[in-house]
Amino acid sequence: NAGVTQTPKFRILKIGQSMTLQCAQDMNHNYMYWYRQDPGMGLKLIYYSVGAGITDKGEVPNGYNVSRSTTEDFPLRLELAAPSQTSVYFCASSYAAGSSYNSPLHFGNGTRLTVT
Amino acid sequence: AQKVTQAQTEISVVEKEDVTLDCVYETRDTTYYLFWYKQPPSGELVFLIRRNSFDEQNEISGRYSWNFQKSTSSFNFTITASQVVDSAVYFCALSGWDDKIIFGKGTRLHILP
């Protein structure tokens, strides 16, 4: 059982380039999340999705786009990369979220992105 | 808006000492969930505990215990008889009606041998 798989593990981008961070889960979870972790700054929510075809902005969505065409996949797109997007990106999934019932997040191993 | 504050950026204690990590949250929701996650030096994020807002009972799991107090909007985490393997960054998180899961900035814990 792979859980949450993120690719690539590392990437260096030049300013202005674009790329897609891949995230796939095999647990049939409806809820998926993208976070970025800057040094000493904790995890900031970029985008999230409560099911295929539904996405919503988190705390820091600017400079990113997402899509959710299937339950399994939740790619994160960076357009026109900037040095401020240098960070570690974590994808996570959950069986349930919200206030009625909530289950823990399963995290991928992260993608370390450097923009120079 | 929901908010999680972990005021302790970094803590160092000597092995076998007890240590408490503080978490204060803000939410207007009457029903919500609180979590603690651990991030060891290897970088992965590991779930430790989930607590819903209707359950204020404290919880103990081995050397770990959690104190949830709605009156002070706090969900503190205590490690008893700390060990070097407890060295990690610990995150508190909050989830409410809107399905967002918001994290605090984390507390980096150093356990010195």
Side-chain angles (χ1 to χ4, degrees):
Chain A
N1 208 353
V4 179
T5 303
Q6 290 185 240
T7 55
K9 287 185 170 48
F10 304 94
R11 184 71 186 266
I12 299 174
L13 280 183
K14 294 190 185 305
I15 294 170
Q17 288 185 323
S18 300
M19 76 163 294
T20 299
L21 280 66
Q22 301 291 345
C23 176
Q25 52 92 9
D26 62 0
M27 297 171 283
N28 203 31
H29 287 170
N30 281 323
Y31 296 81
M32 295 188 75
Y33 300 81
W34 273 106
Y35 291 90
R36 58 178 287 173
Q37 183 177 22
D38 301 331
M41 296 301 291
L43 292 156
K44 289 289 189 184
L45 180 64
I46 305 172
Y47 270 96
Y48 66 105
S49 169
V50 302
I54 306 170
T55 62
D56 210 344
K57 296 178 180 179
E59 302 169 278
V60 290
N62 292 345
Y64 306 93
N65 277 301
V66 293
S67 59
R68 185 95 182 272
S69 55
T70 67
T71 299
E72 295 77 20
D73 300 298
F74 190 38
L76 177 72
R77 177 86 178 158
L78 278 72
E79 305 282 0
L80 298 174
S84 61
Q85 293 178 304
T86 294
S87 190
V88 179
Y89 291 84
F90 285 98
C91 178
S93 73
S94 172
Y95 170 74
S99 55
S100 59
Y101 178 76
N102 210 303
S103 60
L105 288 170
H106 297 256
F107 282 90
N109 288 330
T111 295
R112 186 175 296 274
L113 176 67
T114 302
V115 182
T116 62
Chain B
Q2 299 183 122
K3 186 177 179 183
V4 176
T5 301
Q6 295 181 256
Q8 303 152 308
T9 305
E10 203 159 344
I11 300 174
S12 294
V13 300
V14 176
E15 197 174 19
K16 298 184 184 175
E17 288 185 351
D18 299 347
V19 58
T20 295
L21 309 183
D22 297 333
C23 173
V24 173
Y25 62 92
E26 296 175 30
T27 181
R28 293 182 180 175
D29 298 341
T30 54
T31 307
Y32 50 89
Y33 280 79
L34 295 161
F35 302 83
W36 277 93
Y37 289 85
K38 175 182 180 179
Q39 186 177 42
S42 50
E44 73 271 24
L45 284 145
V46 179
F47 164 73
L48 294 177
I49 190 172
R50 171 189 60 189
R51 171 69 69 215
N52 96 32
S53 52
F54 292 114
D55 182 1
E56 289 194 70
Q57 283 192 345
N58 292 333
E59 181 152 344
I60 298 174
S61 176
R63 297 183 296 106
Y64 294 173
S65 62
W66 290 269
N67 184 329
F68 177 32
Q69 291 196 329
K70 284 179 79 171
S71 60
T72 56
S73 297
S74 64
F75 186 42
N76 296 337
F77 172 30
T78 297
I79 301 175
T80 303
S82 60
Q83 299 177 0
V84 172
V85 293
D86 296 326
S87 296
V89 181
Y90 291 87
F91 293 100
C92 182
L94 167 67
S95 180
W97 71 270
D98 63 358
D99 302 322
K100 292 181 182 177
I101 303 174
I102 304 300
F103 283 74
K105 292 185 177 181
T107 297
R108 185 176 297 276
L109 178 62
H110 300 278
I111 308 298
L112 308 172

mmCIF file of all heavy atoms in Angstrom, chain A residues 112, chain B residues 38-44 84-89 108-109:
data_model
loop_
_atom_site.group_PDB
_atom_site.id
_atom_site.type_symbol
_atom_site.label_atom_id
_atom_site.label_comp_id
_atom_site.label_asym_id
_atom_site.label_seq_id
_atom_site.Cartn_x
_atom_site.Cartn_y
_atom_site.Cartn_z
ATOM 1 N N ARG A 112 11.180 18.904 -2.423
ATOM 2 C CA ARG A 112 12.013 20.071 -2.093
ATOM 3 C C ARG A 112 12.281 20.838 -3.372
ATOM 4 O O ARG A 112 12.942 20.328 -4.282
ATOM 5 C CB ARG A 112 13.317 19.620 -1.448
ATOM 6 C CG ARG A 112 14.177 20.767 -0.940
ATOM 7 C CD ARG A 112 15.395 20.249 -0.192
ATOM 8 N NE ARG A 112 15.039 19.514 1.018
ATOM 9 C CZ ARG A 112 14.826 20.067 2.190
ATOM 10 N NH1 ARG A 112 14.934 21.363 2.331
ATOM 11 N NH2 ARG A 112 14.511 19.321 3.239
ATOM 12 N N LYS B 38 4.087 15.036 14.503
ATOM 13 C CA LYS B 38 5.536 15.056 14.787
ATOM 14 C C LYS B 38 6.296 15.013 13.467
ATOM 15 O O LYS B 38 5.939 14.246 12.549
ATOM 16 C CB LYS B 38 5.907 13.839 15.635
ATOM 17 C CG LYS B 38 7.390 13.668 15.903
ATOM 18 C CD LYS B 38 7.640 12.395 16.719
ATOM 19 C CE LYS B 38 9.120 12.189 17.003
ATOM 20 N NZ LYS B 38 9.359 10.962 17.807
ATOM 21 N N GLN B 39 7.352 15.826 13.363
ATOM 22 C CA GLN B 39 8.216 15.790 12.188
ATOM 23 C C GLN B 39 9.645 15.540 12.668
ATOM 24 O O GLN B 39 10.357 16.457 13.071
ATOM 25 C CB GLN B 39 8.138 17.095 11.390
ATOM 26 C CG GLN B 39 8.915 17.027 10.077
ATOM 27 C CD GLN B 39 8.767 18.290 9.252
ATOM 28 O OE1 GLN B 39 8.819 19.398 9.790
ATOM 29 N NE2 GLN B 39 8.595 18.135 7.950
ATOM 30 N N PRO B 40 10.101 14.299 12.635
ATOM 31 C CA PRO B 40 11.470 13.995 13.058
ATOM 32 C C PRO B 40 12.461 14.554 12.047
ATOM 33 O O PRO B 40 12.075 15.024 10.970
ATOM 34 C CB PRO B 40 11.497 12.462 13.084
ATOM 35 C CG PRO B 40 10.382 12.036 12.212
ATOM 36 C CD PRO B 40 9.353 13.114 12.227
ATOM 37 N N PRO B 41 13.755 14.494 12.374
ATOM 38 C CA PRO B 41 14.775 15.048 11.472
ATOM 39 C C PRO B 41 14.732 14.459 10.063
ATOM 40 O O PRO B 41 15.163 15.103 9.106
ATOM 41 C CB PRO B 41 16.079 14.705 12.186
ATOM 42 C CG PRO B 41 15.703 14.644 13.628
ATOM 43 C CD PRO B 41 14.317 14.072 13.662
ATOM 44 N N SER B 42 14.198 13.286 9.902
ATOM 45 C CA SER B 42 14.101 12.676 8.567
ATOM 46 C C SER B 42 13.076 13.379 7.680
ATOM 47 O O SER B 42 13.071 13.184 6.468
ATOM 48 C CB SER B 42 13.750 11.197 8.696
ATOM 49 O OG SER B 42 12.638 11.034 9.556
ATOM 50 N N GLY B 43 12.197 14.194 8.276
ATOM 51 C CA GLY B 43 11.327 15.056 7.481
ATOM 52 C C GLY B 43 9.884 14.617 7.275
ATOM 53 O O GLY B 43 9.063 15.431 6.852
ATOM 54 N N GLU B 44 9.571 13.370 7.548
ATOM 55 C CA GLU B 44 8.178 12.963 7.317
ATOM 56 C C GLU B 44 7.280 13.498 8.428
ATOM 57 O O GLU B 44 7.740 13.861 9.502
ATOM 58 C CB GLU B 44 8.065 11.426 7.245
ATOM 59 C CG GLU B 44 8.212 10.710 8.569
ATOM 60 C CD GLU B 44 9.643 10.361 8.908
ATOM 61 O OE1 GLU B 44 10.563 11.030 8.401
ATOM 62 O OE2 GLU B 44 9.822 9.437 9.730
ATOM 63 N N VAL B 84 16.028 11.001 23.661
ATOM 64 C CA VAL B 84 16.648 11.634 22.494
ATOM 65 C C VAL B 84 15.796 11.433 21.245
ATOM 66 O O VAL B 84 15.689 12.320 20.391
ATOM 67 C CB VAL B 84 18.080 11.099 22.293
ATOM 68 C CG1 VAL B 84 18.666 11.590 20.988
ATOM 69 C CG2 VAL B 84 18.965 11.514 23.474
ATOM 70 N N VAL B 85 15.126 10.293 21.141
ATOM 71 C CA VAL B 85 14.294 10.018 19.954
ATOM 72 C C VAL B 85 13.079 10.938 19.863
ATOM 73 O O VAL B 85 12.410 10.988 18.832
ATOM 74 C CB VAL B 85 13.806 8.548 19.923
ATOM 75 C CG1 VAL B 85 14.962 7.610 19.723
ATOM 76 C CG2 VAL B 85 13.003 8.220 21.161
ATOM 77 N N ASP B 86 12.789 11.665 20.938
ATOM 78 C CA ASP B 86 11.678 12.619 20.904
ATOM 79 C C ASP B 86 12.078 13.921 20.213
ATOM 80 O O ASP B 86 11.231 14.790 19.976
ATOM 81 C CB ASP B 86 11.196 12.938 22.323
ATOM 82 C CG ASP B 86 10.613 11.727 23.029
ATOM 83 O OD1 ASP B 86 9.996 10.876 22.347
ATOM 84 O OD2 ASP B 86 10.788 11.627 24.269
ATOM 85 N N SER B 87 13.348 14.086 19.922
ATOM 86 C CA SER B 87 13.806 15.296 19.233
ATOM 87 C C SER B 87 13.136 15.389 17.867
ATOM 88 O O SER B 87 13.256 14.476 17.041
ATOM 89 C CB SER B 87 15.325 15.276 19.054
ATOM 90 O OG SER B 87 15.976 15.300 20.296
ATOM 91 N N ALA B 88 12.423 16.486 17.646
ATOM 92 C CA ALA B 88 11.640 16.642 16.418
ATOM 93 C C ALA B 88 11.000 18.029 16.432
ATOM 94 O O ALA B 88 11.111 18.766 17.415
ATOM 95 C CB ALA B 88 10.547 15.576 16.329
ATOM 96 N N VAL B 89 10.324 18.334 15.350
ATOM 97 C CA VAL B 89 9.437 19.496 15.330
ATOM 98 C C VAL B 89 8.015 18.972 15.528
ATOM 99 O O VAL B 89 7.604 18.006 14.883
ATOM 100 C CB VAL B 89 9.527 20.276 14.006
ATOM 101 C CG1 VAL B 89 8.604 21.489 14.048
ATOM 102 C CG2 VAL B 89 10.964 20.707 13.730
ATOM 103 N N ARG B 108 10.295 23.331 17.774
ATOM 104 C CA ARG B 108 11.434 22.422 17.590
ATOM 105 C C ARG B 108 11.934 21.996 18.961
ATOM 106 O O ARG B 108 12.334 22.831 19.767
ATOM 107 C CB ARG B 108 12.544 23.106 16.797
ATOM 108 C CG ARG B 108 13.709 22.176 16.473
ATOM 109 C CD ARG B 108 14.751 22.874 15.608
ATOM 110 N NE ARG B 108 14.215 23.258 14.309
ATOM 111 C CZ ARG B 108 14.132 22.450 13.258
ATOM 112 N NH1 ARG B 108 14.577 21.197 13.364
ATOM 113 N NH2 ARG B 108 13.640 22.882 12.127
ATOM 114 N N LEU B 109 11.896 20.728 19.215
ATOM 115 C CA LEU B 109 12.290 20.178 20.513
ATOM 116 C C LEU B 109 13.626 19.459 20.390
ATOM 117 O O LEU B 109 13.786 18.558 19.553
ATOM 118 C CB LEU B 109 11.216 19.206 21.015
ATOM 119 C CG LEU B 109 11.483 18.503 22.334
ATOM 120 C CD1 LEU B 109 11.592 19.502 23.478
ATOM 121 C CD2 LEU B 109 10.397 17.468 22.625
#
